[in-house]
């Protein structure tokens, strides 16, 4: 039952994933969560985020930001970083992820999702058939509902890591 929440891959940071190798492996679309995946919650796109998105686009990736936030937050980030966006995505519902792939012109076999939350980001992307990368949150300061979800995530990750060890 918990397997539905297990990521395909883990990384310490969205900035440490081997995107060039993934491009060579056939991936063409990257869909990112924003808050606590690329920048601290509510922060604008910084130099590191802009450099990553610029590099991904230079490799040939199509980039999308998929967020449950309202449009002003997501548009501001997207405009600065240089990708497309979908706001109020309704994660973990499958529809937002499918819409992202449609807009990118990619499909589940060549699109990856990078996010920091199991119960929204990873679960939703898996329901849409995407390859998933769970990254550690950038900053510990989070809204109370996320703090509560993090406690449950620790339980799921305990069993995930136990399974990975075997």
């Amino acid at each position: 039952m918990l397997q539905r929440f297990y990521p395909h891959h883990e990384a310490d940071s969205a900035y440490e994933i081997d995107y060039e190798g993934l491009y060579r492996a056939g991936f063409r679309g990257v869909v990112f969560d924003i808050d606590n995946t690329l920048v601290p919650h509510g922060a604008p796109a910084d130099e590191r985020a802009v450099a990553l998105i610029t590099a991904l686009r230079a490799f040939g990736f199509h980039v999308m930001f998929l967020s449950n936030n309202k449009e002003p937050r997501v548009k501001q980030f997207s405009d600065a970083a240089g990708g497309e966006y979908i706001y109020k995505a309704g994660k973990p519902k499958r529809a937002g992820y499918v819409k992202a792939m449609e807009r990118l012109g990619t499909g589940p076999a060549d699109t990856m999702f990078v996010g920091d939350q199991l119960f929204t980001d990873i679960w939703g992307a898996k329901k849409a058939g995407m390859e998933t990368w769970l990254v550690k949150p950038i900053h510990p300061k989070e809204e109370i509902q996320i703090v509560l979800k993090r406690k449950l995530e620790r339980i799921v990750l305990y069993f995930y890591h136990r399974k990975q060890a075997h």
Side-chain angles (χ1 to χ4, degrees), residues 110-150:
D110 64 351
T111 309
M112 63 184 116
F113 186 89
V114 181
D116 69 300
Q117 292 187 54
L118 285 178
F119 301 132
T120 51
D121 298 331
I122 301 304
W123 187 30
K126 284 184 75 175
K127 289 193 291 186
M130 300 167 80
E131 193 82 4
T132 59
W133 272 260
L134 176 68
V135 297
K136 293 180 180 169
I138 288 179
H139 195 277
K141 184 180 179 237
E142 297 181 298
E143 297 170 344
I144 187 66
Q145 70 270 19
I146 296 173
V147 171
L148 297 173
K149 283 194 280 185
R150 294 283 187 210

Side-chain angles (χ1 to χ4, degrees), residues 7 35 79:
D35 287 322
D79 287 350

Side-chain angles (χ1 to χ4, degrees), residues 18-36:
D18 178 15
Y19 296 101
E20 190 171 0
L22 292 164
Y23 189 85
R24 284 193 308 270
F27 287 93
R28 295 299 180 261
V30 185
V31 181
F32 287 102
D33 173 55
I34 297 172
D35 287 322
N36 248 351

Side-chain angles (χ1 to χ4, degrees), residues 40-79:
H41 187 80
D46 57 19
E47 286 181 27
R48 189 165 73 153
V50 172
L52 173 63
I53 303 311
T54 301
L56 291 175
R57 293 176 66 161
F59 289 145
F61 277 110
H62 303 284
V63 178
M64 174 75 65
F65 303 110
L66 187 69
S67 177
N68 285 344
N69 270 306
K70 295 177 181 169
E71 187 173 23
R73 159 68 179 140
V74 183
K75 182 180 183 334
Q76 176 191 41
F77 185 92
S78 179
D79 287 350

Side-chain angles (χ1 to χ4, degrees), residues 6 8 16 78 125-126 147 162:
Y6 292 174
H8 293 108
E16 295 177 10
S78 179
K126 284 184 75 175
V147 171
R162 208 167 108 183

